[in-house]
Each structure stands twice: as C-alpha cells, then as structure tokens.
Amino acid sequence: MPLPTEPIGSIPRPQELLTAAPSELAAAQERAVRETLRRLEELGSPVVTDGEQSKPSFATYPIAGLADLAPDGAVIPFADGHQRQLPRLTAGPFRYTGHAVDYLRAAQRHATAPVKQAVIAPSALSLLYPADGIDGYPREMFLDDLVDEAEADIRSCLDAGAHVVQLDFTEGRLSLKLDPSGGVLDAFIALNNRVLERFSSDERARIGVHVCPGGDLDSTHSLDVDYAELLPKLFELKAGAFYLQLASEPDPDRILAIVAAHLPADARVFVGVVDPIDPRVETPEQIRDRVLAAARHLPVDRLGTCDDCGFSPFADDTSTSRDTAFAKIAARVEGTALAAAELGV
C-alpha cells in the first residue's frame, strides 16, 4: 500500500479464549492467534499482529509468574473511576520471565503478511521498583538490569524477522498528569533512550514508539493532558517511527501542526484514524478525510495510519466486541487506500 497502515496491537479475545479451562488454554490461544491473523489478512491489512491473544496484558507479559512481586504497586487511575494496579518488585536481580519473540514466532507460523511485534517500554516496567527501595538492590542496579532485559527483548524480535518492533509508551502522557513538572517524563525518555541507543540507525528504522491516553474498559487515563506538553519530548526518542493517537483528539489540526514542527527528519509518523473505545464504526470516507487532513501538515512520504490504541489491551476487557474491532480495522485499511488514491501515491 502506498500509504502504510498498521494495527497497534491488542484485539478483543474470542469467547472461547476468555472461558477456556487451564488445561485447554494453550490450544485456545493458538486458535485465537491463527484466526486473528487470518481475519487481518482477509481484510487486506498489509502488516499483521497476533492481537496479543496469548498475553495476560500488553504491559505484564515480561513478569508473568515472577516470584519476587507483591500486588501493591503503582496505581493507574482512569477517568471513569476504575483503576489498574501494577505489582511491586520485592527483590533482585530483575529478569524477564517472558519474551516478546515467543509471541512473534508463534504468529509467524500462521502469517503470510509481515508481522509486527509490540513490546512494553522499559519506562513502564521501571514503575515496578518501589519508592522506598529494595535492600541490597539499589535502583541504579535495577535500571541497569532493566535496560539489558529490554534491549534483549527488542533485539530478539528484530533478529527473528519482525517487520517492526513497537514500544508501547502509554505511560508517557500519564506521567504529565502525575507530575506536571515533566521530571518523570524526562526520566522516562532518558531511560528509553538508554535502550534505543544500543541499536544501529538501520535497526532503529524498524523500531517505533506508540503513545496514547490509555484505552481500557472504554475509558482513558490521560486524555485531559495536552499533547503539546508531550510531543516535543516524545520526539527526542531515538526511534524510526511514532504511532500517535489522534482520532479522539478534539482539535487534531492543532496537534498535527505541533507534530510537523518537531518530527525528526528521519522518522515516519503513523496518525491514529480509528478510535477503539468509540462504539461507532468509522466509515472509509471518514478515515480518508482524516488522512487528507494529516497530509496538509505532513509530507506524504513520512505519513502512515494506525488505530489510536490497541483494542482491549487487558485480557479481561470485553467492552468492545471482536467484530467491531475488525470492522474498524477494515475501515482503516479501505480509508487509507482511498486517501492514497486522492493523494496520487
């Protein structure tokens, strides 16, 4: 496709997977992955993803089953009043228990299109470390271990042939709500760059960063944070692509002007043209018009489209149906093609 278009990651799980008994879970996960890839390819998606059908969540796959965790970690509040809570690390050294490359290889067994792999940004996992420290395991040592683990997670996916590796950085916008001074965001950017700087320029061309205001149970955690406070810092990340939530923004032209002013010269931006938590399915013509609006601000050869966020990024989120998600993705693919035709690319 002349204008690239990609999914972000999560897709609602089928009922069979949600209700599978433990003894049947692995088989149900494989069937869900296979069907997800098949449906994406049938829709004409030029890049596919496993929909994170086998992950407990987009954020916690590296620590599933880790023994050195307590349940009372950082709390993420959402606008509708519900919360998600991360665990708290209780001892070191910190090591991943699960790796994204395993999900990638499982998807590649069934896919014919290029497969994209999402990974959690190290900045999100840095929230596991408690504010009062861990005896015998200082924060600096934890961060060194985390950087090593995050690098290995990304590198193994690149080496296994991922079309692109996407760092999920939803905590970027949230950090400005928790700390309006920007100090936490600066620390997140610096930590993520410690990892990204370990890759060559050619490798970074295949690494992207996704940001959004969260999307869980039809609610967000930081949509009220002004993008203008995030984007200049975001574009300091040494990545080759940026996937930006935009469809749910009240004034997208204002945001696109900021993007145009700060986007690095060697990076591509994928603008969100589908809102996963809006129950209404966008029409291809709406998608087309959103792309054309973005093209008034950004060079077409550095433009792509995506969904604002993953659909149902936590396994227990059933607020959006599987069929609705695929209908929205179909509209994105068709609408992007319509825009490409009008732009003559």
Side-chain angles (χ1 to χ4, degrees):
M1 182 175 288
L3 279 178
T5 188
E6 298 180 10
I8 288 300
S10 297
I11 291 174
R13 285 76 169 166
Q15 188 64 27
E16 178 203 20
L17 179 54
L18 293 173
T19 58
S23 62
E24 301 169 346
L25 184 59
Q29 288 173 336
E30 183 171 5
R31 286 192 294 271
V33 168
R34 185 170 60 245
E35 192 220 10
T36 297
L37 294 164
R38 176 186 61 78
R39 292 186 69 170
L40 287 172
E41 291 184 354
E42 288 176 349
L43 294 176
S45 183
V47 175
V48 297
T49 171
D50 70 351
E52 301 188 317
Q53 304 294 285
S54 303
K55 287 182 180 178
S57 80
F58 77 102
T60 58
Y61 72 89
I63 57 172
L66 184 64
D68 299 321
L69 293 175
D72 56 343
V75 173
I76 301 171
F78 285 79
D80 66 353
H82 87 274
Q83 298 179 338
R84 293 285 182 179
Q85 186 165 24
L86 293 173
R88 171 177 56 88
L89 190 68
T90 60
F94 177 68
R95 298 289 185 268
Y96 281 17
T97 56
H99 296 87
V101 71
D102 296 328
Y103 302 102
L104 172 64
R105 288 177 176 144
Q108 288 171 326
R109 288 198 294 270
H110 302 292
T112 59
V115 180
K116 172 182 186 175
Q117 183 59 51
V119 303
I120 189 62
S123 51
L125 294 177
S126 72
L127 297 172
L128 299 174
Y129 193 85
D132 56 357
I134 298 173
D135 289 344
Y137 191 52
R139 181 175 180 82
E140 293 74 16
M141 188 177 296
F142 162 72
L143 292 178
D144 288 345
D145 288 341
L146 173 57
V147 168
D148 288 343
E149 293 293 292
E151 178 197 358
D153 204 34
I154 297 168
R155 191 173 297 284
S156 62
C157 292
L158 294 176
D159 291 346
H163 172 72
V164 68
V165 177
Q166 172 191 288
L167 273 70
D168 287 326
F169 185 41
T170 184
E171 69 278 6
R173 197 162 176 175
L174 177 63
S175 73
L176 289 167
K177 188 169 188 175
L178 303 177
D179 175 22
S181 75
V184 171
L185 176 61
D186 287 343
F188 282 171
I189 297 291
L191 176 60
N192 290 337
N193 270 339
R194 283 182 61 185
V195 176
L196 294 169
E197 287 166 354
R198 295 187 174 191
F199 295 89
S200 69
S201 58
D202 287 345
E203 289 168 333
R204 288 198 295 269
R206 294 168 56 205
I207 300 174
V209 176
H210 167 240
V211 292
C212 70
D216 181 47
L217 300 175
D218 285 348
S219 187
T220 62
H221 55 52
S222 53
L223 187 59
D224 54 340
V225 173
D226 190 347
Y227 240 151
E229 301 299 317
L230 171 65
L231 290 174
K233 291 290 186 180
L234 176 73
F235 292 132
E236 294 178 6
L237 287 171
K238 301 182 185 303
F242 294 89
Y243 301 85
L244 307 182
Q245 161 266 342
L246 194 63
S248 57
E249 282 295 316
D251 188 358
D253 279 312
R254 171 177 169 268
I255 305 307
L256 287 163
I258 298 171
V259 173
H262 294 279
L263 184 66
D266 57 350
R268 181 184 292 273
V269 61
F270 289 76
V271 296
V273 292
V274 164
D275 183 354
I277 65 175
D278 186 339
R280 297 169 296 182
V281 176
E282 294 83 355
T283 67
E285 291 74 23
Q286 286 175 312
I287 303 297
R288 176 201 61 200
D289 292 345
R290 289 171 181 175
V291 179
L292 295 177
R296 289 195 289 269
H297 295 269
L298 298 163
V300 174
D301 63 352
R302 298 172 63 202
L303 181 62
T305 66
C306 62
D307 311 309
D308 268 7
C309 188
F311 297 86
S312 303
F314 293 89
D316 61 356
D317 181 359
T318 58
S319 58
T320 300
S321 76
R322 191 167 171 84
D323 286 343
T324 295
F326 281 117
K328 284 173 168 280
I329 291 168
R332 170 171 52 77
V333 172
E334 185 179 347
T336 301
L338 291 175
E342 288 215 15
L343 293 167
V345 296

